């Protein structure tokens, strides 16, 4: 999973509109710790997600931030073998994040309860 991934997908906003996005993800893995960066943008929309997590016995915990909206929060969930299911929480914001890696392909699904309703992203390494 470590390294740089690129691809794209679709972001859905609270009014139901969708936009195609281009994305880049970078993962740095050291034992049970992982630092991640996910940047996605369209002509009119952008998000910059940073996170650091620790995996212990299949349980995942950590912190995340989204710099363009100045949001910080915590991550908790489960995962292993390239698949993760986590809840990202912050004041007034909750999102479910699913990530699955198979070989050189990765899919990310984000579902939220805010202006940003979600994203479906496919990446390759």
């Amino acid at each position: 999973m470590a390294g740089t991934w690129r691809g794209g997908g679709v972001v859905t906003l609270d009014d139901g509109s969708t936009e195609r996005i281009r994305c880049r993800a970078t993962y740095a893995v050291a034992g049970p710790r992982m630092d991640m960066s996910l940047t996605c943008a369209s002509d009119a929309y952008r998000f910059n997600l940073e996170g650091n997590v620790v995996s212990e016995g299949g349980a995942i915990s950590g912190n995340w931030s989204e710099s363009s909206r100045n949001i910080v929060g915590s991550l908790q969930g489960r995962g292993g073998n390239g698949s993760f299911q986590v809840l990202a929480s912050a004041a007034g914001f909750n999102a479910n994040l699913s990530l699955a890696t198979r070989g050189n392909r990765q899919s990310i699904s984000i579902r939220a309860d805010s202006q940003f309703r979600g994203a479906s992203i496919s990446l390759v390494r």
Side-chain angles (χ1 to χ4, degrees):
M1 198 168 151
T4 301
W5 300 70
R6 291 182 181 357
V10 176
V11 63
T12 303
L13 304 176
D14 64 344
D15 64 1
S17 65
T18 60
E19 291 192 30
R20 298 202 71 52
I21 51 175
R22 297 166 308 283
C23 301
R24 182 183 70 242
T26 304
Y27 304 98
V29 180
R33 298 186 178 277
M34 180 177 73
D35 292 329
M36 67 162 285
S37 171
L38 175 64
T39 300
C40 294
S42 70
D43 291 338
Y45 191 83
R46 179 180 183 91
F47 65 88
N48 302 299
L49 180 64
E50 303 278 335
N52 53 64
V53 297
V54 175
S55 176
E56 295 181 39
I60 296 169
S61 62
N63 299 298
W64 67 277
S65 65
E66 202 290 313
S67 60
S68 66
R69 288 162 188 80
N70 199 28
I71 302 172
V72 297
S74 63
L75 292 169
Q76 295 206 0
R78 303 213 45 86
N81 298 322
S83 294
F84 303 93
Q85 300 279 332
V86 298
L87 173 64
S89 300
F93 179 83
N94 289 301
N96 290 298
L97 179 106
S98 299
L99 184 145
T101 304
R102 303 280 183 271
N104 68 342
R105 297 196 175 275
Q106 186 175 90
S107 61
I108 301 170
S109 175
I110 304 170
R111 297 291 172 251
D113 61 1
S114 68
Q115 260 184 333
F116 168 83
R117 288 290 175 201
S120 296
I121 303 163
S122 295
L123 306 173
V124 294
R125 180 167 39 181

